[in-house]
Amino acid sequence: MKYLRVELRYPPELMHPIHRLVDESDAIERDVLVQGTVLDEPDDTFLFYVEGDIEVYADALRSVDRIREFDVTRIDDSGHYVFLTQRRDAVDEAMFGPLQRTGVVVVPPVDFRANGIARLTIVGDQGPLRDALGELPDRIETTVLRIGEYDWRQHLFDPELTDRQFDALAAAVESGYYESPRTATVEDVAERIDAAPSTASEHLRKAESAVMTAFMELRDVA
């Protein structure tokens, strides 16, 4: 079963007002769609995780006509859950339609970032996945960041390593590079992945940075 890690880049005129807030305001550090219910009804229901100034976020929600209602639950000083319903619009229809088909599942969360970017994971059969991507609106730039065999356990904690970074990290663990005391060198790792020591070292540095950053973000959420 294949999965695609996809990045969508919305032009300013198609961005949701709250996504535009994430793009333009330093008050919101993170906006993640944790789960959503999209039915054959005019209103959709979503659960978001939000980090930042929740009053700024709530004021923005109140200013959007199609937000029907919302409820905020505080987690800690900067983290909140926001449960809301909103009226679907034409952009939503164009986005949700292609992904609502037999053989395709959108696996949450959907991470909204600056510059109009949303990142999400899509799982399914090869044909339906291809058709879904092909029917996404042309004005929304679509980039496939990664293709692979889906494993739910991996997505519990995924620092989004490249294949070479993963190979280097796996070789380092297997060879004892991270043992204490260390029983392998960068040269040993390089030999295992058939790369120059300088290349292996660079892969390890980038992989370690990605892993630790993802870990801290996971701890922040937890």
Side-chain angles (χ1 to χ4, degrees):
M1 180 173 51
K2 296 293 184 183
Y3 83 92
L4 306 178
R5 182 64 175 165
V6 178
E7 179 178 279
L8 306 177
R9 185 184 296 268
Y10 292 74
E13 65 273 16
L14 295 185
M15 290 170 60
H16 191 285
I18 303 303
H19 197 174
R20 192 173 297 115
L21 173 70
V22 174
D23 193 53
E24 297 175 350
S25 174
D26 293 334
I28 306 303
E29 300 173 9
R30 195 173 188 193
D31 185 32
V32 181
L33 174 58
V34 178
Q35 189 57 270
T37 301
V38 179
L39 302 173
D40 189 19
E41 299 175 1
D43 292 349
D44 301 318
T45 304
F46 298 113
L47 175 65
F48 286 87
Y49 169 75
V50 180
E51 285 183 0
D53 189 332
I54 196 62
E55 292 303 324
V56 173
Y57 193 91
D59 285 344
L61 290 176
R62 295 186 187 98
S63 70
V64 180
D65 290 340
R66 64 191 188 98
I67 302 292
R68 299 299 199 188
E69 57 184 354
F70 68 91
D71 182 62
V72 175
T73 300
R74 178 176 175 175
I75 305 170
D76 52 34
D77 289 343
S78 63
H80 300 77
Y81 285 119
V82 177
F83 187 78
L84 64 84
T85 60
Q86 73 171 16
R87 186 179 68 253
R88 196 175 313 149
D89 69 359
V91 176
D92 294 335
E93 294 283 3
M95 283 304 308
F96 293 142
L99 301 178
Q100 291 180 296
R101 65 176 67 224
T102 301
V104 172
V105 173
V106 176
V107 181
V110 179
D111 192 4
F112 292 96
R113 305 187 176 195
N115 300 314
I117 288 174
R119 289 186 176 177
L120 64 154
T121 298
I122 311 173
V123 174
D125 300 324
Q126 183 174 352
L129 284 173
R130 182 184 60 247
D131 294 342
L133 289 184
E135 293 177 18
L136 291 174
D138 292 337
R139 295 172 67 191
I140 299 176
E141 181 182 332
T142 304
T143 302
V144 177
L145 302 176
R146 191 185 308 170
I147 302 174
E149 291 294 330
Y150 183 73
D151 185 343
W152 174 76
R153 296 167 299 178
Q154 173 187 349
H155 288 269
L156 292 175
F157 176 75
D158 185 6
E160 299 188 352
L161 304 181
T162 67
D163 289 342
R164 291 298 281 167
Q165 289 168 3
F166 180 85
D167 290 344
L169 207 57
V173 171
E174 292 167 0
S175 65
Y177 181 78
Y178 292 111
E179 294 290 335
S180 181
R182 182 169 288 173
T183 59
T185 66
V186 170
E187 287 74 16
D188 296 324
V189 175
E191 184 176 354
R192 280 175 172 255
I193 66 172
D194 192 23
S198 60
T199 302
S201 178
E202 181 180 4
H203 286 325
L204 287 176
R205 285 198 304 271
K206 290 183 177 179
E208 290 162 1
S209 175
V211 167
M212 296 310 296
T213 298
F215 176 73
M216 292 309 298
E217 290 178 351
L218 185 66
R219 287 293 299 271
D220 287 344
V221 172

